[in-house]
Amino acid sequence: MDIIKTCNAGKNYYRSWLFRNVEESFEIDGGNSYAFLGNNGSGKSTFLLLLCGQVSPTEGDIEWKIQGKQIPENQ
């Protein structure tokens, strides 16, 4: 099973927090769908970029596991 897990993840821009203390686990397989809802500028796209590893969290960590094996952040 492939999993993306956020551990107290947070991101801020210009001294303003988009989100903070996010603890969530997303199972990636053919049967799950996720929707991210919010107003314009609320951090939806930034959160997705964070899950994909394109941006780093300001605080906390993101963990990626493929078939139960931890994937290092720099790969």
Side-chain angles (χ1 to χ4, degrees):
M1 179 180 309
D2 301 339
I3 296 174
I4 301 173
K5 182 179 179 183
T6 60
C7 305
N8 286 322
K11 186 68 176 175
N12 71 350
Y13 281 115
Y14 305 108
R15 299 182 187 179
S16 183
W17 288 97
L18 294 174
F19 49 87
R20 204 165 188 195
N21 300 319
V22 177
E23 287 276 344
E24 193 61 59
S25 181
F26 301 95
E27 294 180 16
I28 310 302
D29 64 20
N32 292 332
S33 297
Y34 299 97
F36 297 92
L37 307 175
N39 295 328
N40 289 346
S42 63
K44 300 178 301 289
S45 296
T46 301
F47 187 70
L48 291 173
L49 289 171
L50 190 121
L51 292 179
C52 294
Q54 295 296 310
V55 298
S56 297
T58 304
E59 66 181 12
D61 294 306
I62 307 295
E63 296 177 3
W64 297 273
K65 291 185 181 179
I66 296 178
Q67 298 177 349
K69 183 179 177 185
Q70 184 84 24
I71 305 300
E73 187 174 340
N74 59 356
Q75 289 188 357

Coordinates of all heavy atoms in Angstrom, one line a residue:
M1 N 0.8 -1.2 0.0 CA 0.0 0.0 0.0 C 0.9 1.2 0.0 O 1.9 1.3 0.7 CB -0.9 0.0 1.2 CG -1.8 1.2 1.3 SD -2.9 1.2 2.7 CE -3.7 -0.4 2.6
D2 N 0.5 2.2 -0.8 CA 1.3 3.5 -0.9 C 0.6 4.5 0.0 O -0.7 4.7 -0.1 CB 1.3 3.9 -2.3 CG 2.0 2.9 -3.2 OD1 2.8 2.1 -2.7 OD2 1.8 3.0 -4.5
I3 N 1.4 5.2 0.8 CA 0.8 6.2 1.7 C 1.6 7.5 1.7 O 2.8 7.5 1.6 CB 0.8 5.6 3.1 CG1 -0.1 4.4 3.2 CG2 0.4 6.7 4.2 CD1 0.0 3.7 4.5
I4 N 0.9 8.6 1.8 CA 1.5 9.9 2.0 C 1.0 10.4 3.3 O -0.3 10.4 3.5 CB 1.2 10.9 0.9 CG1 1.6 10.5 -0.4 CG2 1.8 12.3 1.3 CD1 1.2 11.3 -1.6
K5 N 1.9 10.7 4.3 CA 1.4 11.1 5.6 C 2.0 12.5 6.0 O 3.2 12.7 5.8 CB 1.9 10.0 6.6 CG 1.5 10.3 8.0 CD 2.0 9.2 8.9 CE 1.6 9.5 10.4 NZ 2.1 8.5 11.3
T6 N 1.2 13.3 6.5 CA 1.7 14.6 7.0 C 1.8 14.5 8.5 O 0.9 14.0 9.2 CB 0.7 15.8 6.6 OG1 -0.6 15.5 7.2 CG2 0.6 15.9 5.1
C7 N 2.9 15.0 9.1 CA 3.2 15.0 10.5 C 3.3 16.4 11.0 O 4.4 17.0 10.9 CB 4.4 14.2 10.8 SG 4.4 12.5 10.1
N8 N 2.3 17.0 11.6 CA 2.3 18.3 12.1 C 2.8 19.3 11.0 O 3.5 20.3 11.3 CB 3.2 18.5 13.3 CG 2.5 17.9 14.5 OD1 1.3 18.0 14.7 ND2 3.2 17.2 15.4
A9 N 2.4 19.1 9.8 CA 2.8 19.9 8.7 C 2.2 21.3 8.7 O 1.0 21.5 9.0 CB 2.5 19.2 7.3
G10 N 3.0 22.3 8.3 CA 2.5 23.7 8.2 C 3.3 24.4 7.2 O 4.4 24.1 6.9
K11 N 2.6 25.4 6.6 CA 3.3 26.3 5.6 C 2.9 27.7 5.8 O 1.7 28.0 5.9 CB 2.9 25.8 4.2 CG 3.7 26.5 3.1 CD 5.1 26.1 3.1 CE 5.9 26.7 1.9 NZ 7.3 26.5 2.0
N12 N 3.8 28.6 5.8 CA 3.5 30.0 5.9 C 4.2 30.8 4.8 O 5.2 30.4 4.2 CB 3.8 30.6 7.2 CG 5.3 30.8 7.5 OD1 6.1 30.3 6.8 ND2 5.6 31.5 8.6
Y13 N 3.6 31.9 4.4 CA 4.1 32.8 3.4 C 4.0 34.2 4.0 O 2.9 34.6 4.4 CB 3.3 32.7 2.1 CG 3.7 31.6 1.2 CD1 2.8 30.5 0.9 CD2 5.0 31.5 0.7 CE1 3.2 29.5 0.1 CE2 5.4 30.4 -0.1 CZ 4.4 29.4 -0.4 OH 4.8 28.3 -1.2
Y14 N 5.0 34.9 3.9 CA 5.0 36.3 4.4 C 4.4 36.5 5.7 O 3.5 37.3 5.9 CB 4.3 37.2 3.3 CG 4.9 37.1 2.0 CD1 4.2 36.4 0.9 CD2 6.2 37.6 1.7 CE1 4.8 36.3 -0.3 CE2 6.7 37.5 0.4 CZ 6.0 36.9 -0.6 OH 6.6 36.7 -1.8
R15 N 4.8 35.7 6.7 CA 4.4 35.8 8.1 C 2.9 35.4 8.3 O 2.3 35.7 9.3 CB 4.7 37.1 8.7 CG 6.1 37.5 8.7 CD 6.3 38.8 9.3 NE 7.7 39.2 9.2 CZ 8.2 40.4 9.6 NH1 7.4 41.2 10.2 NH2 9.5 40.6 9.4
S16 N 2.3 34.8 7.3 CA 0.9 34.4 7.4 C 0.8 32.9 7.2 O 1.3 32.4 6.2 CB 0.0 35.1 6.4 OG -1.3 34.8 6.6
W17 N 0.2 32.1 8.1 CA 0.1 30.7 7.9 C -1.1 30.3 7.0 O -2.2 30.8 7.2 CB -0.2 30.0 9.3 CG 1.0 30.0 10.2 CD1 1.3 31.0 11.1 CD2 2.1 29.1 10.1 NE1 2.5 30.7 11.7 CE2 3.1 29.5 11.1 CE3 2.4 28.0 9.4 CZ2 4.2 28.9 11.3 CZ3 3.6 27.4 9.6 CH2 4.5 27.8 10.6
L18 N -0.8 29.5 6.0 CA -1.8 29.0 5.1 C -2.5 27.8 5.8 O -3.7 27.6 5.7 CB -1.2 28.5 3.8 CG -0.6 29.5 2.9 CD1 0.1 28.9 1.7 CD2 -1.7 30.5 2.4
F19 N -1.7 26.9 6.4 CA -2.2 25.8 7.2 C -1.2 25.5 8.2 O 0.0 25.8 8.1 CB -2.6 24.6 6.4 CG -1.6 24.2 5.4 CD1 -0.6 23.3 5.7 CD2 -1.6 24.7 4.1 CE1 0.4 22.9 4.8 CE2 -0.7 24.3 3.1 CZ 0.3 23.4 3.5
R20 N -1.6 24.8 9.3 CA -0.7 24.5 10.4 C -1.2 23.2 11.1 O -2.4 23.0 11.2 CB -0.7 25.7 11.3 CG 0.6 25.7 12.2 CD 0.7 27.1 12.8 NE 2.0 27.1 13.4 CZ 2.4 28.0 14.3 NH1 1.7 29.0 14.6 NH2 3.7 27.9 14.8
N21 N -0.2 22.4 11.7 CA -0.5 21.3 12.5 C -1.4 20.2 11.7 O -2.3 19.7 12.3 CB -1.1 21.6 13.8 CG -0.2 22.5 14.6 OD1 1.0 22.3 14.7 ND2 -0.8 23.5 15.2
V22 N -1.1 20.0 10.5 CA -1.9 19.0 9.7 C -1.4 17.6 9.9 O -0.2 17.4 9.7 CB -1.9 19.4 8.2 CG1 -2.7 18.3 7.4 CG2 -2.4 20.8 7.9
E23 N -2.2 16.8 10.5 CA -1.9 15.4 10.7 C -2.9 14.6 9.9 O -4.1 14.5 10.3 CB -2.1 15.0 12.2 CG -1.0 15.5 13.1 CD 0.2 14.6 13.2 OE1 0.1 13.5 12.8 OE2 1.2 15.1 13.6
E24 N -2.5 14.0 8.8 CA -3.4 13.3 7.9 C -2.6 12.2 7.2 O -1.4 12.4 6.9 CB -4.0 14.3 6.9 CG -5.2 13.7 6.2 CD -6.3 13.3 7.1 OE1 -6.9 14.1 7.8 OE2 -6.7 12.1 7.0
S25 N -3.3 11.2 6.8 CA -2.7 10.1 6.0 C -3.6 9.8 4.8 O -4.8 9.7 4.9 CB -2.6 8.8 6.9 OG -2.0 7.8 6.2
F26 N -2.9 9.7 3.6 CA -3.6 9.5 2.4 C -3.2 8.2 1.8 O -2.0 8.0 1.5 CB -3.3 10.7 1.4 CG -3.7 12.0 1.9 CD1 -2.8 12.8 2.5 CD2 -5.0 12.5 1.8 CE1 -3.2 14.1 3.0 CE2 -5.4 13.7 2.2 CZ -4.5 14.5 2.9
E27 N -4.1 7.3 1.6 CA -3.8 6.0 1.0 C -4.0 6.2 -0.5 O -5.0 6.6 -1.0 CB -4.7 4.9 1.5 CG -4.5 4.6 3.0 CD -5.4 3.5 3.5 OE1 -6.0 2.8 2.6 OE2 -5.6 3.4 4.7
I28 N -2.9 5.8 -1.2 CA -2.9 6.0 -2.7 C -3.1 4.6 -3.3 O -2.2 3.8 -3.3 CB -1.6 6.6 -3.2 CG1 -1.2 7.9 -2.4 CG2 -1.6 6.9 -4.7 CD1 -2.2 9.0 -2.4
D29 N -4.3 4.4 -3.8 CA -4.6 3.2 -4.6 C -5.8 3.5 -5.6 O -6.2 4.6 -5.6 CB -4.9 2.0 -3.7 CG -6.2 2.2 -2.9 OD1 -7.0 3.0 -3.2 OD2 -6.3 1.5 -1.9
G30 N -6.2 2.6 -6.3 CA -7.2 2.8 -7.3 C -8.6 3.1 -6.8 O -9.4 3.6 -7.5
G31 N -8.8 2.9 -5.5 CA -10.2 3.1 -5.0 C -10.4 4.3 -4.2 O -11.6 4.5 -3.7
N32 N -9.4 5.2 -3.9 CA -9.6 6.3 -3.1 C -9.6 7.6 -3.9 O -8.9 7.8 -4.9 CB -8.5 6.5 -2.0 CG -8.6 5.4 -1.0 OD1 -9.7 4.9 -0.7 ND2 -7.5 5.0 -0.4
S33 N -10.5 8.5 -3.5 CA -10.5 9.9 -4.1 C -10.5 10.9 -3.0 O -11.1 10.6 -1.9 CB -11.8 10.1 -4.9 OG -11.9 9.2 -6.0
Y34 N -9.8 12.0 -3.2 CA -9.8 13.1 -2.2 C -10.1 14.4 -2.9 O -9.8 14.6 -4.0 CB -8.3 13.2 -1.6 CG -7.9 11.9 -0.9 CD1 -7.1 11.0 -1.6 CD2 -8.3 11.7 0.4 CE1 -6.7 9.8 -0.9 CE2 -7.9 10.5 1.0 CZ -7.1 9.6 0.4 OH -6.7 8.4 1.0
A35 N -10.8 15.3 -2.1 CA -11.1 16.6 -2.6 C -10.6 17.6 -1.6 O -10.7 17.4 -0.4 CB -12.6 16.7 -2.7
F36 N -10.0 18.6 -2.1 CA -9.5 19.7 -1.2 C -10.3 21.0 -1.5 O -10.3 21.5 -2.6 CB -8.0 20.0 -1.5 CG -7.1 18.8 -1.2 CD1 -6.9 17.8 -2.1 CD2 -6.7 18.6 0.1 CE1 -6.1 16.7 -1.8 CE2 -5.9 17.5 0.4 CZ -5.6 16.5 -0.6
L37 N -11.0 21.4 -0.5 CA -11.9 22.5 -0.7 C -11.5 23.7 0.2 O -10.9 23.6 1.2 CB -13.3 22.1 -0.2 CG -13.9 20.9 -0.8 CD1 -15.2 20.5 -0.1 CD2 -14.1 21.0 -2.3
G38 N -11.7 24.9 -0.4 CA -11.4 26.1 0.4 C -11.5 27.3 -0.5 O -11.6 27.2 -1.8
N39 N -11.5 28.5 0.1 CA -11.5 29.8 -0.7 C -10.3 30.0 -1.5 O -9.2 29.3 -1.2 CB -11.7 30.9 0.3 CG -13.0 30.8 1.0 OD1 -14.0 30.4 0.5 ND2 -13.1 31.3 2.2
N40 N -10.3 30.9 -2.4 CA -9.1 31.3 -3.2 C -8.1 31.8 -2.2 O -8.4 32.6 -1.2 CB -9.5 32.5 -4.1 CG -10.3 32.0 -5.3 OD1 -10.4 30.8 -5.5 ND2 -10.9 32.9 -6.0
G41 N -6.8 31.4 -2.4 CA -5.7 31.8 -1.5 C -5.7 31.1 -0.2 O -4.9 31.5 0.7
S42 N -6.4 30.0 0.0 CA -6.4 29.3 1.3 C -5.3 28.3 1.4 O -5.2 27.8 2.5 CB -7.8 28.7 1.6 OG -8.1 27.7 0.6
G43 N -4.6 28.0 0.4 CA -3.5 27.0 0.5 C -3.7 25.7 -0.2 O -2.9 24.8 0.0
K44 N -4.8 25.5 -0.9 CA -5.1 24.2 -1.5 C -4.0 23.7 -2.5 O -3.5 22.6 -2.4 CB -6.4 24.2 -2.3 CG -7.6 24.6 -1.5 CD -8.9 24.6 -2.3 CE -8.8 25.6 -3.4 NZ -8.9 27.0 -3.0
S45 N -3.6 24.6 -3.4 CA -2.5 24.2 -4.4 C -1.2 24.1 -3.7 O -0.4 23.1 -4.0 CB -2.4 25.3 -5.4 OG -3.6 25.4 -6.2
T46 N -0.9 24.9 -2.7 CA 0.3 24.8 -1.9 C 0.4 23.4 -1.2 O 1.4 22.7 -1.1 CB 0.5 25.9 -0.9 OG1 0.5 27.1 -1.7 CG2 1.8 25.8 -0.2
F47 N -0.8 23.0 -0.6 CA -0.8 21.8 0.1 C -0.6 20.6 -0.9 O 0.2 19.7 -0.5 CB -2.2 21.6 0.8 CG -2.2 20.4 1.7 CD1 -1.5 20.3 2.8 CD2 -3.1 19.3 1.3 CE1 -1.6 19.2 3.7 CE2 -3.1 18.2 2.1 CZ -2.4 18.1 3.3
L48 N -1.1 20.6 -2.1 CA -0.9 19.6 -3.0 C 0.5 19.6 -3.5 O 1.1 18.5 -3.7 CB -1.9 19.8 -4.2 CG -3.3 19.5 -3.9 CD1 -4.2 19.9 -5.1 CD2 -3.6 18.0 -3.5
L49 N 1.1 20.7 -3.7 CA 2.6 20.8 -4.0 C 3.4 20.2 -2.9 O 4.4 19.5 -3.1 CB 3.0 22.2 -4.3 CG 2.5 22.8 -5.6 CD1 2.8 24.3 -5.6 CD2 3.1 22.1 -6.8
L50 N 3.0 20.4 -1.7 CA 3.7 19.9 -0.5 C 3.6 18.3 -0.5 O 4.6 17.6 -0.3 CB 3.1 20.4 0.7 CG 3.8 20.2 2.0 CD1 4.2 21.5 2.7 CD2 3.0 19.4 3.0
L51 N 2.4 17.8 -0.8 CA 2.2 16.4 -0.9 C 3.1 15.7 -2.0 O 3.5 14.6 -1.8 CB 0.7 16.0 -1.1 CG -0.2 16.3 0.1 CD1 -1.6 15.9 -0.3 CD2 0.2 15.6 1.3
C52 N 3.3 16.4 -3.1 CA 4.0 15.9 -4.2 C 5.5 16.1 -4.0 O 6.3 15.7 -4.8 CB 3.6 16.6 -5.5 SG 1.9 16.2 -6.0
G53 N 5.9 16.8 -3.0 CA 7.4 17.1 -2.7 C 7.9 18.2 -3.5 O 9.1 18.4 -3.5
Q54 N 7.1 19.1 -4.1 CA 7.6 20.2 -4.9 C 8.0 21.4 -4.0 O 8.8 22.2 -4.4 CB 6.5 20.6 -5.9 CG 6.3 19.6 -7.0 CD 7.5 19.3 -7.8 OE1 8.1 20.3 -8.3 NE2 7.8 18.1 -7.9
V55 N 7.3 21.5 -2.8 CA 7.7 22.5 -1.9 C 7.9 21.8 -0.5 O 7.3 20.8 -0.3 CB 6.7 23.7 -1.7 CG1 6.5 24.4 -3.0 CG2 5.3 23.1 -1.3
S56 N 8.7 22.4 0.4 CA 8.9 21.9 1.7 C 8.0 22.5 2.7 O 7.7 23.7 2.6 CB 10.4 22.1 2.1 OG 11.2 21.4 1.2
P57 N 7.6 21.8 3.7 CA 6.8 22.4 4.8 C 7.7 23.4 5.6 O 8.9 23.2 5.8 CB 6.3 21.3 5.6 CG 7.3 20.2 5.4 CD 7.8 20.4 4.0
T58 N 7.0 24.5 6.1 CA 7.7 25.4 7.0 C 8.0 24.7 8.3 O 9.0 24.9 9.0 CB 6.9 26.7 7.2 OG1 6.6 27.2 5.9 CG2 7.6 27.7 8.1
E59 N 7.0 23.9 8.8 CA 7.2 23.1 10.0 C 6.6 21.7 9.8 O 5.8 21.5 8.9 CB 6.5 23.8 11.2 CG 5.0 23.9 11.1 CD 4.3 24.6 12.3 OE1 5.1 25.2 13.1 OE2 3.1 24.5 12.4
G60 N 7.1 20.7 10.5 CA 6.6 19.4 10.4 C 7.2 18.6 9.3 O 8.2 19.1 8.7
D61 N 6.7 17.5 9.0 CA 7.3 16.6 8.0 C 6.2 16.0 7.1 O 5.1 15.9 7.5 CB 8.1 15.4 8.6 CG 9.3 15.9 9.4 OD1 10.1 16.6 8.8 OD2 9.4 15.6 10.6
I62 N 6.7 15.5 5.9 CA 5.9 14.7 5.0 C 6.6 13.3 4.8 O 7.8 13.3 4.6 CB 5.7 15.3 3.6 CG1 5.2 16.8 3.8 CG2 4.8 14.5 2.7 CD1 3.8 16.9 4.3
E63 N 5.8 12.2 5.0 CA 6.4 10.9 4.8 C 5.7 10.2 3.6 O 4.5 10.3 3.4 CB 6.2 10.0 6.0 CG 6.9 10.5 7.2 CD 6.5 9.7 8.5 OE1 5.8 8.6 8.3 OE2 7.0 10.0 9.5
W64 N 6.5 9.6 2.7 CA 6.1 8.9 1.6 C 6.5 7.4 1.8 O 7.6 7.1 2.0 CB 6.7 9.4 0.3 CG 6.3 10.8 0.0 CD1 5.2 11.3 -0.7 CD2 7.1 12.0 0.3 NE1 5.3 12.6 -0.8 CE2 6.4 13.1 -0.2 CE3 8.3 12.2 1.0 CZ2 6.8 14.4 -0.1 CZ3 8.7 13.5 1.1 CH2 8.0 14.6 0.6
K65 N 5.5 6.5 1.6 CA 5.8 5.1 1.6 C 5.2 4.4 0.4 O 4.1 4.6 0.1 CB 5.2 4.5 2.9 CG 5.9 4.9 4.2 CD 5.3 4.1 5.4 CE 6.0 4.6 6.6 NZ 5.5 3.9 7.8
I66 N 6.1 3.6 -0.3 CA 5.6 2.9 -1.4 C 5.8 1.4 -1.1 O 6.9 1.0 -0.7 CB 6.4 3.2 -2.7 CG1 6.1 4.7 -3.0 CG2 6.0 2.3 -3.8 CD1 6.8 5.2 -4.3
Q67 N 4.7 0.6 -1.1 CA 4.7 -0.8 -0.7 C 5.4 -1.0 0.7 O 6.1 -1.9 0.9 CB 5.4 -1.6 -1.8 CG 4.7 -1.6 -3.1 CD 5.4 -2.3 -4.2 OE1 6.5 -2.8 -4.0 NE2 4.7 -2.5 -5.3
G68 N 5.1 0.0 1.6 CA 5.5 -0.1 2.9 C 7.0 0.4 3.2 O 7.4 0.4 4.3
K69 N 7.7 0.7 2.1 CA 9.0 1.2 2.2 C 9.1 2.7 2.2 O 8.6 3.4 1.3 CB 9.9 0.6 1.0 CG 11.3 1.0 1.1 CD 12.1 0.4 -0.1 CE 13.5 0.8 0.0 NZ 14.3 0.4 -1.2
Q70 N 9.8 3.3 3.2 CA 10.0 4.7 3.4 C 10.8 5.3 2.2 O 11.9 4.7 1.9 CB 10.6 5.0 4.7 CG 10.8 6.5 5.0 CD 9.5 7.1 5.6 OE1 8.8 6.4 6.2 NE2 9.4 8.4 5.5
I71 N 10.3 6.3 1.6 CA 11.1 7.0 0.5 C 11.7 8.3 1.1 O 11.0 9.1 1.7 CB 10.1 7.4 -0.6 CG1 9.3 6.2 -1.1 CG2 10.9 8.1 -1.8 CD1 10.2 5.1 -1.7
P72 N 13.0 8.4 1.0 CA 13.7 9.6 1.5 C 13.2 10.9 0.8 O 12.8 10.8 -0.4 CB 15.2 9.4 1.1 CG 15.3 7.9 0.9 CD 14.0 7.5 0.4
E73 N 13.2 12.0 1.5 CA 12.6 13.2 0.9 C 13.4 13.8 -0.3 O 12.9 14.4 -1.1 CB 12.7 14.3 2.0 CG 12.0 15.6 1.6 CD 11.9 16.6 2.8 OE1 12.0 16.1 3.9 OE2 11.7 17.7 2.5
N74 N 14.7 13.5 -0.3 CA 15.5 14.0 -1.4 C 15.5 13.2 -2.7 O 16.2 13.5 -3.6 CB 17.0 14.2 -1.0 CG 17.6 12.9 -0.5 OD1 16.9 11.8 -0.5 ND2 18.9 12.9 -0.2
Q75 N 14.6 12.2 -2.8 CA 14.5 11.5 -4.1 C 13.3 11.8 -4.9 O 12.3 12.0 -4.4 CB 14.5 10.0 -3.8 CG 15.9 9.5 -3.3 CD 16.0 8.0 -3.2 OE1 15.0 7.3 -3.4 NE2 17.1 7.5 -2.9

